[in-house]
Amino acid sequence: MGLQRFIAERKQSKDILVMAHVVCGYPSFEENLQELEIMAEAGVDLVELQFPFSEPSADGPLFVRANEQSLKSGTTVDQCFEFMKLVSARFPFKVLMMGYYNTAFKMGEEAFVKRVKESGGVGYILPDLPIEESAKLHRLSEEAGIEPIILMTPTTSDTRLAKLGAVSRGLVYVVARKGVTGSKTQMGDDVLALIERCRQHTDVPLGVGFGISSKADIDVLRGHADVAIVGTAALKTWQEGGAPGLRQFFAELMA
Amino acid sequence: MGLQRFIAERKQSKDILVMAHVVCGYPSFEENLQELEIMAEAGVDLVELQFPFSEPSADGPLFVRANEQSLKSGTTVDQCFEFMKLVSARFPFKVLMMGYYNTAFKMGEEAFVKRVKESGGVGYILPDLPIEESAKLHRLSEEAGIEPIILMTPTTSDTRLAKLGAVSRGLVYVVARKGVTGSKTQMGDDVLALIERCRQHTDVPLGVGFGISSKADIDVLRGHADVAIVGTAALKTWQEGGAPGLRQFFAELMA
Amino acid sequence: MDIFDFSEGREGYYGEYGGVFLPEILQATIEELLVCFRECKADPKFWQDYVALLQNYSGRPTPITHLENLSRKLGGAQIYVKRDDLNHTGSHKINNVMGQGLLCQRLGKSKVIAETGAGQHGFATATMAAKFGFECKIYMGAVDVARQRPNVFWMENLGAEVIAVEDGQKTLKDAVNECMRDWVTNMADTHYILGTACGPHPFPEMVSWFQSIIGLEAREQMLKQAGRLPDRVYACVGGGSNAMGIFQGFMDDDVELIGSEGGGHGVGSYMHSSRLAYDDATVGVAQGYKTYFLQNDEGNMNETHSVAAGLDYIGVNPIFAHLHDQGKVRFEAATDVEVKEALKLTMRTEGLIPALESTHAFVTAIKEAPTMGKDQIILINQSGRGDKDIFTIADALDDAKWKSFIGGKADQYRAENN
Amino acid sequence: MDIFDFSEGREGYYGEYGGVFLPEILQATIEELLVCFRECKADPKFWQDYVALLQNYSGRPTPITHLENLSRKLGGAQIYVKRDDLNHTGSHKINNVMGQGLLCQRLGKSKVIAETGAGQHGFATATMAAKFGFECKIYMGAVDVARQRPNVFWMENLGAEVIAVEDGQKTLKDAVNECMRDWVTNMADTHYILGTACGPHPFPEMVSWFQSIIGLEAREQMLKQAGRLPDRVYACVGGGSNAMGIFQGFMDDDVELIGSEGGGHGVGSYMHSSRLAYDDATVGVAQGYKTYFLQNDEGNMNETHSVAAGLDYIGVNPIFAHLHDQGKVRFEAATDVEVKEALKLTMRTEGLIPALESTHAFVTAIKEAPTMGKDQIILINQSGRGDKDIFTIADALDDAKWKSFIGGKADQYRAENN
Ligand SMILES: Cc1ncc(COP(=O)(O)O)c(C=O)c1O
Ligand SMILES: Cc1ncc(COP(=O)(O)O)c(C=O)c1O
């Protein structure tokens, strides 16, 4: 089942879905599994598995260090795909590859798409790959039946939103504010207006991310966005409060 | 009795005179007196009393440090003149002021000449005062009956030797070699040739200095020069061997 | 040949290299920059203002010096040197920085950010920011901050905020990432002054354009001073901006162009920064553009090394990747050891102190000059002066007196603190 | 007015100042130098060669920079700066040194000696010697060797022998004496490259002549760039060579000339090096010439002080002593504290880092600019760049991070030795 249909189905029973995030191999694949267990329990709908990269220039400090540590402990792309396979088989949520374009480029776009698909991934997010550079990858993905997640942002002009909208499939990632992952976003009228703008240019579901850390944030989005994307806040909770902390975090978040 | 007559008289009983050197106030005026005592005993004929100066650029390391130490311990020009007075009264040798021109310039040339005369000095050596700058000082000295000691050197042209010769009075200081005071000179044909050259341009007695340190050096000069000038070697001996050393040095030198 | 004529190919691409690989959030900013840059490039007044600014502020044109002693000693080609070391702040970096300063003014932005490795580009940027009245933040790897304190000292005194980047290898490439992070947040009022001909389009073209002043001057000067063009032109290649700068003067001529990369510990050592001279680099996409990177099979960047901090970088400008493919520029490497020897030789023979970066160009030229005829001419770009790098050079030459001086100075400071 | 026209007075005298007060042994050498210098001065080709050498090797002409920010901030006169800091080796000292290099060649001598205080002149001389192939000895007070190690490091690497002078105060004046001592021994094959417009005739005239290139350029540039001559010209005064250099461009004009001396701890402190601005100096004879010296009643030199080692000297050139008497040049002093403030201001406002010496000229200009009209113009001579003086400037600004960097560096070196 494709990503877009999965979201549509899930949305029949929920007014907003939740997408969570883990950095593969950080702190370790074992702990990743524990985190994912908790996310699954809490009813998380989608998970991005970030493949660590040495130059994560769109990430904030917490993820930067997570990328770095994971690579230091020897994480390979192959391990990440194996992990993806394991995860997508074990858990009810859908899994996306998240990472930087060089990972895909180095293995070759064909091989990349094939491997995502084989590993049970329903799509991928490559934040440093603009649509101008994606034609071939998008075509291959379409052939394979996986989705490239396109990002729309507060700085994107209407002209460009139209262009992005035209090629969007599966899910659009609406970036709630300028900046990198990790800092807090004031979820308010600005974000809602942005969602409104994006909605005019695409029919695919809209996920909103960057700085979502509480139920209150999600409540703001309810009725406007299809998916709330939670990244740094969860990792931070894991680091500070371990499994009990994370369990409580998702319980409160999704209450 | 003027310097030139004094030399002429002494030369009746000796084939070469000896001029020695002390730096006033170094190591102290007391030690200066002890040195002079020894020089007098040994029969030294002339003594230069060097007035310490802060920029003794024509002196070698030993005298440079002596100048410096003397000033550091508070030696003043006035003390030097007082010392000159004492010395010229007490000892049979004749005394000359030696120093740099600024000492004379700062007290005023009239005052300087007057004070040398009053202190029993028969002349002065100011190595940084060329004849072009000496007209007035020479006139004043002549009036007072003291002698400005002119230097002739290995680099002086015949034309210039003639000029120097024309104004020379009392004693000419023949600089045995290039350089500053203190290093050893090879006393040989070069020096004798230089003396010969100088002799052609002046009738006043010739003293030869720079690097004389032994009886052998003096023996070379005997019959050619009128005065052998001993500077650094004596001070070095005093520093290393004290009074007994210096006594022996002069005994051997003048044997 | 106009390498910047994209009418036949894709805008911002040199062969398969270049492009714009940036987060969507920056697309508007990079578009705005591109539009502004196109205006500037089309406006002869802009270039005039640029040249006048460099003349009055930085001492351009920098001269060409004929190294008669070194030429005689090597017994081959006549060696000439383009003296970009005489620029204000001590290197060619000021050219690019002043140009981007003018452009930033035109963009109406009030803040600038820049990455720096050796500190030379940061120093130049801080200087420009003081002159233009921009707020200025310099991102610098923590390792570089620690070892390049003199430049940090000057940047701070020029009013810049220097931010030590604690991520990754804590060196240049990490400073670039951190700049990107600042930029995606503050692009509204901030211009990113990239320091070399790398990064996303239009940076490679823009930096090359500003640096082309070196080659423009040099060509004219060679004709005037030596009566003809050089047979070969040598430049060191970090990101490739000084080399692009001087090479552009001779692109359409029968002149061989040679880039000299950081050979570090040598071929096979994997402790170097030779992307094109050695075979260790492969094509990849990082830091906003596609080019040859020193990376592993999975696309993660390798550690790099050069005695010259300014060459110690994972990537190379995409234009060079293309010119290399086409055989239009030859790339060689100079090892750390060779650099030290060439530096000593140049100091003693000619009284010049090239920056360690620039000395890489000297190494290759010194190797090749003796094999050339006495009637042949070579031109070396001296991109910077070495006296700013006293710590690095004293370390490289392992100078005992310097070390004991530093020891004494440290003791003095400690005593003052007690 | 030609101050070097001696036809009416005594050769080598400026009023009652100047002359030749040297040991007889040097009379032939100084005469030979004078004859050679007169030939050079009369030979237009010599000056052409000199200018060409400086253009090709040192980057002359150095530009004039309009300090718009500082002028605006001070709200008075428009401030222009002559950029001799952009010279090769970082100061105006290279002008004189290159000129004397050519002259030494003409004299047929193969060795050069020079005194140096800050090390700037020694650095320039070592550079020139490398370029000309002369053997080179630099005399430097032991105190200066210890505190100016960076310059010593470069001199040695340029192939010069640096001799630490252990006599006297172990600073500049003692290095001068030691040079004289070398010269009286080795004059046959050795030329003494005196570093400033002091010492026996013809040095004051000769050094002034070589430095006059600054003023020649500056006058023309001001006319071209500002459309008219400046109302006032400011220069710092150590021995007086850079000031003589720029002032000579404006001697016959209605331009006020202001020399700025090292005020050290201020008037009455007796810890300064202001010979003419303060009343502490008197006329004397030392180091080969007659001028104002900071000396006691008996003619022994006093200790002097300035935060700028290059101004920290007992005497001043005899030409200035005369022009001061005649009221043709006004002398002011800048204290250490004022210098630090002006340096900070200049760095932040304009991105310029004047040498501590040059900053003395900025201090006086900055004091006076606000009292002048907006339509008035002042010109400051920036004789050197400050980035060579990082130790001194970091000490002056009491920079804590610098000190801890040095501490860390010292620890690193000690660890390497174990
Ligand atoms: C003096 C100097 N030359 C060369 C470089 C290398 O940069 P690029 O290849 O962009 O000229 C640097 C970089 O810091 C530098 O400081
Ligand atoms: C940069 C600079 N300016 C000025 C001076 C002072 O010398 P002068 O008065 O001869 O120009 C020095 C001396 O070292 C110097 O280095």
Side-chain angles (χ1 to χ4, degrees), chain A residues 53-57 59 64-65 68 71 76-77 102 105-106 127-128 130 132-133 151 155 160 178-180, chain C residues 10 13 20-25 27-28 167-168 173 177 181 184-185 282-285 287 295 298-301:
Chain A
F53 180 50
S54 60
E55 317 303 314
S57 52
D59 278 294
V64 168
R65 243 144 271 168
E68 209 177 308
L71 287 176
T76 63
V77 171
N102 206 35
F105 177 78
K106 282 300 284 184
D128 64 337
E132 287 78 3
E133 302 287 349
L151 283 78
T155 63
R160 190 168 173 88
K178 298 174 193 169
V180 289
Chain C
R10 286 176 64 193
Y13 267 88
V20 178
F21 294 83
L22 284 181
E24 187 58 40
I25 192 108
Q27 296 296 336
D167 305 315
K173 72 173 185 58
N177 293 332
R181 290 180 194 117
V184 299
T185 315
T282 56
V283 180
V285 175
Q287 308 208 318
Q295 56 183 335
E298 306 205 320
N300 288 306
M301 299 301 140

Side-chain angles (χ1 to χ4, degrees), chain A residues 119-141:
Chain A
S119 311
V122 295
Y124 52 85
I125 306 172
L126 298 172
D128 64 337
L129 187 70
I131 51 161
E132 287 78 3
E133 302 287 349
S134 321
K136 181 177 163 208
L137 194 60
H138 283 199
R139 185 173 43 74
L140 293 167
S141 305

Side-chain angles (χ1 to χ4, degrees), chain A residues 63-117:
Chain A
F63 284 164
V64 168
R65 243 144 271 168
N67 274 266
E68 209 177 308
Q69 285 307 316
S70 177
L71 287 176
K72 245 193 204 139
S73 59
T75 302
T76 63
V77 171
D78 190 60
Q79 287 174 344
C80 294
F81 278 119
E82 287 302 311
F83 186 66
M84 183 182 258
K85 194 166 193 173
L86 177 94
V87 168
S88 56
R90 180 178 305 182
F91 297 107
F93 49 69
K94 288 284 178 200
V95 176
L96 292 103
M97 182 273 175
M98 187 262 156
Y100 288 80
Y101 176 56
N102 206 35
T103 304
F105 177 78
K106 282 300 284 184
M107 61 193 296
E109 297 186 343
E110 286 88 351
F112 173 73
V113 166
K114 190 157 165 256
R115 194 78 197 267
V116 172
K117 180 73 185 175

Side-chain angles (χ1 to χ4, degrees), chain C residues 91-93 118 120 196 236-242 310-311 355 357-358 383-384:
Chain C
S91 84
H92 72 292
K93 295 283 178 194
Q120 200 54 31
T196 188
C236 69
V237 180
S241 69
N242 87 85
L311 305 188
E357 288 81 7
S358 321
S383 54

